[in-house]
């Protein structure tokens, strides 16, 4: 196996530098080099940052104005993840990023339980040599995920500069993300039960807002749970798109995220007492009023095999061109069929 090609990036420390090496480099490395803070930290740790030929391995090392720092950059290494020829629905692609409509049942990133058949496997095959490298590795940059059984839109970085810029937008919660969900019940601002649920409030227009902390469940490590101290701040807003039944017993909701935490919509809707239909972890099975819905609708709800959740809208600023991008993905066939059945008039 041939040795990787090494290129050297020379950075001159500008006036009034931060006292620490890592912070000075983060400020002074040219933007086109697309070296994120985490990548710089790894390069320092690996001894690939030098001053006068001497490796600087302490990120707190002091630097002075006018000093020249050398950064050794190896070409992106091949990923250990194998490419797989899996069809993808691609809505947008350029040299820096790709937007896909992920199907139900596909895991985003390989894990011990799912080493293959993932979105990353598919992207490695699709992109081939077009991946310029993320974090020193020829791999797609995953900046956000949706669950295996959730369908919908994802943006993935193909370059380090895109990965850094997208990650920053997600960190600042400036990315537009709207989901469609089918839930038990119909949330209403006049419902006294909802008014009594901690963390639940309503905004004008009957918009339900859930504000909590989220963290791993104390006894079930596969689940997330609502807390009001500790954990990570999480805010979800929800509005009714359509209600089903007379009286209403099921609703199609539009949910949008101020923050993006693991299982956030699923956990928040369950906390509000409006769990997602088909959600085996948080939704539960509920007995529906046989007079409110048709037998076909009740059976469709009972048999729905996954959480009824779809990432429908994704909007962000292109991290390289600065262009405002916004994408929409229609509901998948199984949710369309569920909604059609819910619209079936009840007998009598």
């Amino acid at each position: 196996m041939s040795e990787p090609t090494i290129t050297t990036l020379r950075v001159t420390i500008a006036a009034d530098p931060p006292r620490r090496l890592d912070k000075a480099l983060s400020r002074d490395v040219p933007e086109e080099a697309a070296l994120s803070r985490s990548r710089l930290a790894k390069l320092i740790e690996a001894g690939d940052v030098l001053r006068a030929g001497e490796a600087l391995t302490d990120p707190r090392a002091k630097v002075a104005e006018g000093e020249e720092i050398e950064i050794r950059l190896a070409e992106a290494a091949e990923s250990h993840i194998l490419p797989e020829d899996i069809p993808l629905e691609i809505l947008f692609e350029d040299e820096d990023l790709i937007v896909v409509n992920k199907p139900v049942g596909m895991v985003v990133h390989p894990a011990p339980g799912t080493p293959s058949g993932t979105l990353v496997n598919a992207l490695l095959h699709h992109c081939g040599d077009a991946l310029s490298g993320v974090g020193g590795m020829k791999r797609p940059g995953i900046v956000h995920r949706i669950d295996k059984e959730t369908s919908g839109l994802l943006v993935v970085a193909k370059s380090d500069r895109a990965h850094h810029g997208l990650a920053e937008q997600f960190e600042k919660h400036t990315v537009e993300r709207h989901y469609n969900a089918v839930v038990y019940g119909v949330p209403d601002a006049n419902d006294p039960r909802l008014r009594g649920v901690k963390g639940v409030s309503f905004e004008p227009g009957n918009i339900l807002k859930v504000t909590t902390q989220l963290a791993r469940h104390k006894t079930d490590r596969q689940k997330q749970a609502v807390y009001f101290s500790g954990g990570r701040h999480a805010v979800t807003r929800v509005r009714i798109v359509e209600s089903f039944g007379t009286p209403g017993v099921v609703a199609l909701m539009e949910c949008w995220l101020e923050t993006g935490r693991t299982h956030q919509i699923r956990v928040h809707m369950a906390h509000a007492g409006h769990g997602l239909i088909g959600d085996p972890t948080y939704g539960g099975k509920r007995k529906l009023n046989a007079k409110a819905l048709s037998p076909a609708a009740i059976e469709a709800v009972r048999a729905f095999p996954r959480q009824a959740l779809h990432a429908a809208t994704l909007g962000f600023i292109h991290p390289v061109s600065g262009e405002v991008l916004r994408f929409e993905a229609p509901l998948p066939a199984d949710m369309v069929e569920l909604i059609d059945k819910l619209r079936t008039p009840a007998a009598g």
Side-chain angles (χ1 to χ4, degrees), residues 205-221:
N206 202 35
I207 292 173
L208 171 71
K209 180 182 179 184
V210 185
T211 306
T212 74
Q213 306 294 111
L214 290 181
R216 283 191 187 275
H217 195 282
K218 288 177 180 174
T219 57
D220 186 344
R221 306 301 288 171

PDB file of all heavy atoms in Angstrom, residues 205-221:
ATOM      1  N   GLY A 205     -52.963  30.812  17.657  1.00  0.00           N
ATOM      2  CA  GLY A 205     -53.220  29.926  16.525  1.00  0.00           C
ATOM      3  C   GLY A 205     -53.298  28.469  16.931  1.00  0.00           C
ATOM      4  O   GLY A 205     -53.157  27.578  16.091  1.00  0.00           O
ATOM      5  N   ASN A 206     -53.535  28.217  18.235  1.00  0.00           N
ATOM      6  CA  ASN A 206     -53.630  26.845  18.754  1.00  0.00           C
ATOM      7  C   ASN A 206     -52.358  26.038  18.480  1.00  0.00           C
ATOM      8  O   ASN A 206     -52.398  24.841  18.211  1.00  0.00           O
ATOM      9  CB  ASN A 206     -54.847  26.124  18.150  1.00  0.00           C
ATOM     10  CG  ASN A 206     -55.294  24.942  19.013  1.00  0.00           C
ATOM     11  OD1 ASN A 206     -55.223  24.967  20.241  1.00  0.00           O
ATOM     12  ND2 ASN A 206     -55.757  23.875  18.363  1.00  0.00           N
ATOM     13  N   ILE A 207     -51.210  26.731  18.546  1.00  0.00           N
ATOM     14  CA  ILE A 207     -49.920  26.045  18.368  1.00  0.00           C
ATOM     15  C   ILE A 207     -49.452  25.520  19.723  1.00  0.00           C
ATOM     16  O   ILE A 207     -49.284  26.276  20.678  1.00  0.00           O
ATOM     17  CB  ILE A 207     -48.876  26.992  17.758  1.00  0.00           C
ATOM     18  CG1 ILE A 207     -49.263  27.320  16.312  1.00  0.00           C
ATOM     19  CG2 ILE A 207     -47.481  26.371  17.802  1.00  0.00           C
ATOM     20  CD1 ILE A 207     -48.403  28.383  15.664  1.00  0.00           C
ATOM     21  N   LEU A 208     -49.289  24.218  19.771  1.00  0.00           N
ATOM     22  CA  LEU A 208     -48.816  23.544  20.982  1.00  0.00           C
ATOM     23  C   LEU A 208     -47.301  23.669  21.049  1.00  0.00           C
ATOM     24  O   LEU A 208     -46.600  23.409  20.064  1.00  0.00           O
ATOM     25  CB  LEU A 208     -49.228  22.075  20.932  1.00  0.00           C
ATOM     26  CG  LEU A 208     -48.666  21.131  22.001  1.00  0.00           C
ATOM     27  CD1 LEU A 208     -49.288  21.434  23.349  1.00  0.00           C
ATOM     28  CD2 LEU A 208     -48.927  19.685  21.609  1.00  0.00           C
ATOM     29  N   LYS A 209     -46.791  24.087  22.208  1.00  0.00           N
ATOM     30  CA  LYS A 209     -45.347  24.204  22.408  1.00  0.00           C
ATOM     31  C   LYS A 209     -44.948  23.327  23.590  1.00  0.00           C
ATOM     32  O   LYS A 209     -45.560  23.404  24.661  1.00  0.00           O
ATOM     33  CB  LYS A 209     -44.961  25.660  22.685  1.00  0.00           C
ATOM     34  CG  LYS A 209     -43.466  25.872  22.909  1.00  0.00           C
ATOM     35  CD  LYS A 209     -43.164  27.331  23.230  1.00  0.00           C
ATOM     36  CE  LYS A 209     -41.685  27.563  23.483  1.00  0.00           C
ATOM     37  NZ  LYS A 209     -41.398  28.964  23.889  1.00  0.00           N
ATOM     38  N   VAL A 210     -43.950  22.479  23.373  1.00  0.00           N
ATOM     39  CA  VAL A 210     -43.439  21.627  24.445  1.00  0.00           C
ATOM     40  C   VAL A 210     -41.993  22.018  24.708  1.00  0.00           C
ATOM     41  O   VAL A 210     -41.156  21.996  23.800  1.00  0.00           O
ATOM     42  CB  VAL A 210     -43.530  20.123  24.078  1.00  0.00           C
ATOM     43  CG1 VAL A 210     -43.101  19.270  25.271  1.00  0.00           C
ATOM     44  CG2 VAL A 210     -44.940  19.749  23.630  1.00  0.00           C
ATOM     45  N   THR A 211     -41.697  22.391  25.958  1.00  0.00           N
ATOM     46  CA  THR A 211     -40.361  22.836  26.351  1.00  0.00           C
ATOM     47  C   THR A 211     -39.913  22.021  27.558  1.00  0.00           C
ATOM     48  O   THR A 211     -40.500  22.120  28.643  1.00  0.00           O
ATOM     49  CB  THR A 211     -40.368  24.328  26.728  1.00  0.00           C
ATOM     50  OG1 THR A 211     -40.935  25.083  25.662  1.00  0.00           O
ATOM     51  CG2 THR A 211     -38.961  24.828  27.012  1.00  0.00           C
ATOM     52  N   THR A 212     -38.877  21.183  27.366  1.00  0.00           N
ATOM     53  CA  THR A 212     -38.375  20.342  28.456  1.00  0.00           C
ATOM     54  C   THR A 212     -36.872  20.175  28.294  1.00  0.00           C
ATOM     55  O   THR A 212     -36.261  20.708  27.383  1.00  0.00           O
ATOM     56  CB  THR A 212     -39.023  18.937  28.445  1.00  0.00           C
ATOM     57  OG1 THR A 212     -38.476  18.169  27.364  1.00  0.00           O
ATOM     58  CG2 THR A 212     -40.532  18.996  28.322  1.00  0.00           C
ATOM     59  N   GLN A 213     -36.304  19.394  29.183  1.00  0.00           N
ATOM     60  CA  GLN A 213     -34.967  18.842  28.991  1.00  0.00           C
ATOM     61  C   GLN A 213     -35.153  17.391  28.530  1.00  0.00           C
ATOM     62  O   GLN A 213     -36.125  16.731  28.929  1.00  0.00           O
ATOM     63  CB  GLN A 213     -34.163  18.872  30.284  1.00  0.00           C
ATOM     64  CG  GLN A 213     -34.067  20.233  30.951  1.00  0.00           C
ATOM     65  CD  GLN A 213     -33.291  21.234  30.134  1.00  0.00           C
ATOM     66  OE1 GLN A 213     -33.868  22.199  29.621  1.00  0.00           O
ATOM     67  NE2 GLN A 213     -32.000  21.012  29.990  1.00  0.00           N
ATOM     68  N   LEU A 214     -34.250  16.897  27.716  1.00  0.00           N
ATOM     69  CA  LEU A 214     -34.291  15.491  27.289  1.00  0.00           C
ATOM     70  C   LEU A 214     -32.959  14.833  27.606  1.00  0.00           C
ATOM     71  O   LEU A 214     -31.896  15.430  27.422  1.00  0.00           O
ATOM     72  CB  LEU A 214     -34.574  15.368  25.786  1.00  0.00           C
ATOM     73  CG  LEU A 214     -35.979  15.735  25.284  1.00  0.00           C
ATOM     74  CD1 LEU A 214     -36.065  15.533  23.781  1.00  0.00           C
ATOM     75  CD2 LEU A 214     -37.041  14.905  25.983  1.00  0.00           C
ATOM     76  N   ALA A 215     -33.038  13.592  28.075  1.00  0.00           N
ATOM     77  CA  ALA A 215     -31.832  12.801  28.354  1.00  0.00           C
ATOM     78  C   ALA A 215     -32.212  11.330  28.301  1.00  0.00           C
ATOM     79  O   ALA A 215     -33.392  10.979  28.199  1.00  0.00           O
ATOM     80  CB  ALA A 215     -31.264  13.164  29.729  1.00  0.00           C
ATOM     81  N   ARG A 216     -31.228  10.470  28.386  1.00  0.00           N
ATOM     82  CA  ARG A 216     -31.494   9.031  28.375  1.00  0.00           C
ATOM     83  C   ARG A 216     -32.381   8.639  29.546  1.00  0.00           C
ATOM     84  O   ARG A 216     -32.248   9.163  30.648  1.00  0.00           O
ATOM     85  CB  ARG A 216     -30.185   8.232  28.456  1.00  0.00           C
ATOM     86  CG  ARG A 216     -29.412   8.167  27.156  1.00  0.00           C
ATOM     87  CD  ARG A 216     -28.292   7.139  27.275  1.00  0.00           C
ATOM     88  NE  ARG A 216     -27.413   7.151  26.127  1.00  0.00           N
ATOM     89  CZ  ARG A 216     -27.634   6.482  24.999  1.00  0.00           C
ATOM     90  NH1 ARG A 216     -28.738   5.758  24.879  1.00  0.00           N
ATOM     91  NH2 ARG A 216     -26.783   6.538  24.003  1.00  0.00           N
ATOM     92  N   HIS A 217     -33.265   7.709  29.287  1.00  0.00           N
ATOM     93  CA  HIS A 217     -34.119   7.155  30.332  1.00  0.00           C
ATOM     94  C   HIS A 217     -33.239   6.498  31.387  1.00  0.00           C
ATOM     95  O   HIS A 217     -32.219   5.876  31.075  1.00  0.00           O
ATOM     96  CB  HIS A 217     -35.069   6.127  29.708  1.00  0.00           C
ATOM     97  CG  HIS A 217     -36.216   5.748  30.574  1.00  0.00           C
ATOM     98  ND1 HIS A 217     -36.080   4.870  31.631  1.00  0.00           N
ATOM     99  CD2 HIS A 217     -37.519   6.113  30.544  1.00  0.00           C
ATOM    100  CE1 HIS A 217     -37.249   4.710  32.210  1.00  0.00           C
ATOM    101  NE2 HIS A 217     -38.139   5.452  31.576  1.00  0.00           N
ATOM    102  N   LYS A 218     -33.628   6.616  32.648  1.00  0.00           N
ATOM    103  CA  LYS A 218     -32.771   6.123  33.735  1.00  0.00           C
ATOM    104  C   LYS A 218     -32.636   4.613  33.751  1.00  0.00           C
ATOM    105  O   LYS A 218     -31.612   4.078  34.196  1.00  0.00           O
ATOM    106  CB  LYS A 218     -33.315   6.617  35.083  1.00  0.00           C
ATOM    107  CG  LYS A 218     -33.096   8.113  35.286  1.00  0.00           C
ATOM    108  CD  LYS A 218     -33.687   8.611  36.584  1.00  0.00           C
ATOM    109  CE  LYS A 218     -33.438  10.107  36.755  1.00  0.00           C
ATOM    110  NZ  LYS A 218     -34.108  10.664  37.944  1.00  0.00           N
ATOM    111  N   THR A 219     -33.653   3.898  33.281  1.00  0.00           N
ATOM    112  CA  THR A 219     -33.589   2.429  33.332  1.00  0.00           C
ATOM    113  C   THR A 219     -33.532   1.780  31.961  1.00  0.00           C
ATOM    114  O   THR A 219     -33.013   0.680  31.822  1.00  0.00           O
ATOM    115  CB  THR A 219     -34.794   1.862  34.106  1.00  0.00           C
ATOM    116  OG1 THR A 219     -36.008   2.308  33.492  1.00  0.00           O
ATOM    117  CG2 THR A 219     -34.759   2.316  35.552  1.00  0.00           C
ATOM    118  N   ASP A 220     -34.057   2.444  30.927  1.00  0.00           N
ATOM    119  CA  ASP A 220     -34.034   1.889  29.569  1.00  0.00           C
ATOM    120  C   ASP A 220     -33.131   2.760  28.713  1.00  0.00           C
ATOM    121  O   ASP A 220     -33.521   3.830  28.252  1.00  0.00           O
ATOM    122  CB  ASP A 220     -35.458   1.850  28.996  1.00  0.00           C
ATOM    123  CG  ASP A 220     -35.522   1.148  27.644  1.00  0.00           C
ATOM    124  OD1 ASP A 220     -34.460   0.975  27.015  1.00  0.00           O
ATOM    125  OD2 ASP A 220     -36.636   0.784  27.223  1.00  0.00           O
ATOM    126  N   ARG A 221     -31.909   2.285  28.463  1.00  0.00           N
ATOM    127  CA  ARG A 221     -30.910   3.107  27.790  1.00  0.00           C
ATOM    128  C   ARG A 221     -31.198   3.338  26.316  1.00  0.00           C
ATOM    129  O   ARG A 221     -30.552   4.149  25.667  1.00  0.00           O
ATOM    130  CB  ARG A 221     -29.519   2.466  27.942  1.00  0.00           C
ATOM    131  CG  ARG A 221     -29.115   2.183  29.388  1.00  0.00           C
ATOM    132  CD  ARG A 221     -29.095   3.426  30.225  1.00  0.00           C
ATOM    133  NE  ARG A 221     -27.979   4.317  29.914  1.00  0.00           N
ATOM    134  CZ  ARG A 221     -27.851   5.545  30.399  1.00  0.00           C
ATOM    135  NH1 ARG A 221     -28.781   6.042  31.196  1.00  0.00           N
ATOM    136  NH2 ARG A 221     -26.812   6.293  30.082  1.00  0.00           N
TER     137      ARG A 221
END
